[in-house]
């Protein structure tokens, strides 16, 4: 069944809405949004007719905010503003990133305080129907409005350059910008927000995958499931802990560990096994905080100036500062890093016979000189290290206070924070796949397949569909397929 189009103006935009548009859902401008935009546009046109000084409408922007834009220069100024802000560098963003950006910017305009015509929001929506996605460079924004990325999209929307021609060739009609509209295109944090929504979605998947790999490792270790007792969350109810305990119980349900039919090997397991509820709970809390801030931002306008229809004027604001989201993204990565760290440690413990009571490297033949899975530890440590490096906060970094003649003396680095969350979550999912490979091998060596829980049995079976039992003669298997399963709807 084809998903119904997302209608802007019928309710707040949610992160999952942005994800759905990024992967192909249609988006259209609703009637209420259109009416709000027409009302604010009328106010701005009145200011223009009176000759009021309005930033980005009758003046230049940034360091040239004191220079007036003459009425006869408005059409040319719109194009020049977009060209001047096209300063991107680095790799091109994947098409889903760009589609997410376009959806977020259309939604921001639909709030109805930017003073632009509905036509501009509809241009974003119509362009999203095209099979052509504008090329956007990943680097160039410092997180005080994603000027460079949005300028590249804006130029495509007006039919400028190769991307504009490619878009127009699909039947899209380039928009002719009116006063203020070029500035309205770039004056937003839509790249940061779009990528943040995709990063949060991927991080949620990663944490669910780590729940599965952690529960399967508990089975493999014959761990003590008392540490997952519901009382753990009841007597210390930090956000996310109860949800994690419930999820672990669901995965282990029906298995020998949870029923008590299989006794734990040790009274006290290593912390990487014992503190999964607390650690994953903290990660869930961090991701939840990030989601809260994204939802506020998605339902808001980050424009400056904003039109106050009831006062018949436009005012300059600091709403382009995205500090709450940037800090939330840093917090999300720090939380996820804790779950990644203990996953990496569980891999090391599963490969160490002193903790499992099995062979080093989980070799099927104790007398074999073969390494077994021992060297898997290196790859796991590399993944965990890379992820932790991506978790380092970026909101404290201030490369210069001299941008725009010293006006932009405070930055957030929100786009970097968002990209790093997305990348880090991908590493976490890969690490969960590595952990499952080790856990499945230990389960086979113990011969306890028939004693697994409902969810951990499904994880074991999915692993064995892609990865054979490790022997000196066995093929390596397809870890990419296992990684894909960890992000699929089949995940328990």
């Amino acid at each position: 069944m084809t998903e119904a189009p997302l209608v802007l103006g019928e309710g707040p935009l949610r992160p999952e809405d942005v994800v759905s548009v990024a992967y192909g859902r249609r988006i259209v401008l609703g009637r209420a949004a259109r009416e709000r935009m027409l009302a604010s546009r009328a106010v701005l046109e009145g200011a223009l007719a009176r000759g009021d000084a309005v930033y980005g409408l009758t003046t230049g922007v940034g360091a040239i905010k004191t220079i007036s834009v003459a009425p006869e220069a408005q059409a040319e100024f719109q194009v020049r503003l977009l060209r001047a802000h096209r300063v991107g560098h680095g790799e091109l963003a994947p098409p889903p990133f760009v589609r997410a950006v376009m959806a977020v910017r259309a939604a921001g305009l639909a709030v109805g305080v930017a003073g632009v015509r509905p036509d501009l929001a509809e241009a974003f929506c119509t362009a999203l129907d095209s099979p052509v996605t504008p090329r956007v460079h990943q680097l160039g924004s410092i997180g005080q409005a994603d000027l460079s990325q949005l300028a590249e999209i804006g130029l495509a929307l007006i039919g400028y350059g190769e991307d504009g021609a490619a878009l127009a060739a699909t039947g899209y009609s380039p928009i002719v910008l009116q006063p203020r509209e070029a500035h309205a295109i770039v004056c937003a944090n839509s790249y940061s927000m779009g990528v943040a929504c995709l990063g949060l979605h991927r991080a949620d998947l990663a944490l669910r995958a780590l729940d599965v790999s952690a529960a399967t490792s508990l089975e493999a270790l014959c761990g003590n499931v008392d540490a997952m007792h519901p009382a753990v969350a009841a007597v210390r109810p930090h956000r996310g802990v109860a949800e994690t305990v419930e999820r672990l119980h669901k995965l282990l349900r029906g298995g020998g560990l949870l029923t008590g039919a299989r006794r734990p090997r040790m009274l006290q397991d290593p912390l990487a096994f014992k503190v999964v509820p607390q650690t994953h709970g903290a990660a869930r809390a961090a991701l939840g905080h990030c989601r809260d801030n994204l939802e506020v931002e998605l339902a808001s306008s980050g424009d400056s100036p904003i039109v106050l229809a009831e006062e018949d004027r436009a005012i300059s604001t600091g709403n382009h500062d995205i500090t709450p989201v940037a800090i939330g993204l840093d917090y999300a990565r720090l939380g996820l890093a804790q779950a990644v760290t203990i996953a990496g440690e569980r891999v090391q413990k599963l490969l160490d016979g002193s903790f499992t009571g099995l062979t080093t490297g989980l070799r099927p033949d104790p007398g074999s000189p073969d390494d077994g899975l021992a060297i898997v530890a290196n790859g796991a440590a590399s993944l965990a290290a890379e992820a932790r490096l991506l978790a380092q906060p970026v909101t404290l970094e201030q490369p210069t206070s001299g941008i725009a003649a010293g006006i932009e003396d405070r930055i957030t680095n929100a786009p970097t924070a968002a990209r790093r969350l997305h990348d880090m979550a991908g590493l976490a999912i890969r690490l969960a796949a590595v952990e499952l490979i080790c856990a499945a091998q230990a389960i086979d060596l113990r011969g306890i397949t028939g004693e697994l829980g409902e969810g951990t049995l499904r994880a074991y079976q999915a692993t064995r569909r892609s990865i054979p039992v490790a022997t000196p003669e066995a093929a390596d298997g397809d870890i990419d397929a296992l990684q894909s399963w960890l992000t699929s709807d089949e995940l328990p």
Side-chain angles (χ1 to χ4, degrees):
M1 181 183 295
T2 303
E3 192 171 13
L6 176 67
V7 182
L8 297 179
E10 289 192 344
L13 194 66
R14 301 168 301 169
E16 51 267 35
D17 294 327
V18 176
V19 173
S20 70
V21 175
Y23 289 101
R25 185 181 181 185
R26 292 192 66 231
I27 185 171
V28 296
L29 188 66
R31 179 180 299 178
R34 170 180 286 274
E35 292 175 355
R36 289 194 300 268
M37 295 182 74
L38 287 172
S40 71
R41 182 63 187 178
V43 172
L44 209 62
E45 287 180 348
L48 185 64
R50 293 191 299 269
D52 296 350
V54 179
Y55 182 78
L57 174 68
T58 58
T59 75
V61 299
I64 56 171
K65 65 183 184 298
T66 58
I67 306 298
S68 297
V69 180
E72 63 273 14
Q74 281 285 358
E76 186 177 9
F77 177 68
Q78 306 308 308
V79 179
R80 286 185 172 181
L81 188 149
L82 292 177
R83 290 179 61 189
H85 287 77
R86 185 186 55 180
V87 293
H89 303 282
E91 296 180 356
L92 294 177
F97 278 26
V98 181
R99 289 183 57 85
V101 174
M102 295 170 71
V104 170
R105 190 62 198 119
L109 295 172
V111 172
V113 297
V116 300
R117 299 169 297 155
D119 307 54
L120 183 57
E122 288 178 334
F124 279 92
C125 297
T126 304
L128 281 166
D129 285 338
S130 168
V132 171
T133 302
R135 291 172 298 176
V136 172
H137 290 85
Q138 300 250 39
L139 303 181
S141 168
I142 55 174
Q144 286 287 359
D146 298 323
L147 306 173
S148 64
Q149 291 93 347
L150 288 167
E152 291 178 308
I153 293 171
L155 287 168
L157 294 182
I158 67 172
Y160 184 90
E162 293 182 11
D163 285 356
L167 197 57
T170 69
Y172 166 82
S173 298
I175 186 172
V176 177
L177 298 179
Q178 298 300 313
R180 167 85 232 287
E181 291 184 335
H183 183 234
I185 289 175
V186 302
C187 185
N189 294 288
S190 307
Y191 177 82
S192 300
M193 287 296 302
V195 178
C197 290
L198 294 175
L200 178 64
H201 174 69
R202 201 180 198 189
D204 285 337
L205 293 175
L207 191 53
R208 288 180 58 81
L210 290 169
D211 289 338
V212 171
S213 64
T216 310
S217 288
L218 275 167
E219 301 269 31
L221 186 74
C222 291
N224 191 331
V225 294
D226 281 352
M228 287 77 207
H229 195 284
V232 168
V235 302
R236 192 166 176 256
H238 281 294
R239 179 179 181 180
V241 177
E243 181 181 350
T244 302
V245 168
E246 181 179 354
R247 181 141 166 74
L248 292 171
H249 272 245
K250 180 181 178 182
L251 292 165
L252 295 166
R253 186 169 56 203
L257 276 185
L258 202 60
T259 63
R262 182 155 49 99
R263 301 295 300 167
R265 291 188 66 253
M266 294 179 284
L267 179 63
Q268 294 276 2
D269 293 325
L271 292 181
F273 295 83
K274 184 179 179 181
V275 301
V276 172
Q278 293 77 14
T279 307
H280 286 204
R284 283 192 159 83
L287 294 177
H289 176 81
C290 183
R291 171 179 289 276
D292 291 344
N293 286 347
L294 289 181
E295 288 180 346
V296 170
E297 194 71 23
L298 287 171
S300 307
S301 169
D303 285 281
S304 179
I306 60 173
V307 172
L308 304 178
E310 65 280 7
E311 297 184 20
D312 193 31
R313 66 189 183 112
I315 62 171
S316 294
T317 76
N319 273 354
H320 52 77
D321 185 277
I322 197 172
T323 298
V325 169
I327 292 174
L329 288 165
D330 272 357
Y331 178 28
R333 297 196 318 282
L334 288 170
L336 185 58
Q338 302 303 311
V340 166
T341 296
I342 64 170
E345 287 303 305
R346 288 193 300 270
V347 170
Q348 308 303 321
K349 298 300 189 296
L350 289 175
L351 296 171
D352 187 335
S354 65
F355 288 100
T356 63
L358 302 171
T359 54
T360 298
L362 299 173
R363 303 181 331 277
D365 181 2
S368 170
D370 181 63
D371 286 316
L373 293 179
I375 310 305
V376 168
N378 294 35
S382 176
L383 286 168
E386 190 78 15
R388 280 195 297 273
L389 287 171
L390 290 174
Q392 300 300 315
V394 301
T395 49
L396 298 178
E397 176 60 34
Q398 176 80 4
T400 177
S401 63
I403 295 174
I407 296 169
E408 295 183 13
D409 55 358
R410 184 269 182 283
I411 65 176
T412 68
N413 286 314
T416 302
R419 283 198 319 274
R420 288 189 177 184
L421 178 61
H422 190 272
D423 292 347
M424 182 184 178
L427 293 171
I429 295 166
R430 186 74 171 190
L431 181 57
V434 173
E435 183 177 5
L436 279 179
I437 292 171
C438 296
Q441 184 77 1
I443 287 167
D444 281 325
L445 293 184
R446 293 195 192 282
I448 56 172
T449 307
E451 302 173 33
L452 300 179
E454 296 173 9
T456 51
L457 177 60
R458 288 172 59 188
Y460 168 84
Q461 292 170 337
T463 303
R464 284 291 171 252
R465 285 196 298 269
S466 303
I467 309 291
V469 177
T471 67
E473 297 79 24
D476 294 331
D478 187 356
I479 190 173
D480 291 340
L482 179 56
Q483 182 177 348
S484 295
W485 177 80
L486 283 168
T487 60
S488 73
D489 293 337
E490 297 178 18
L491 194 74

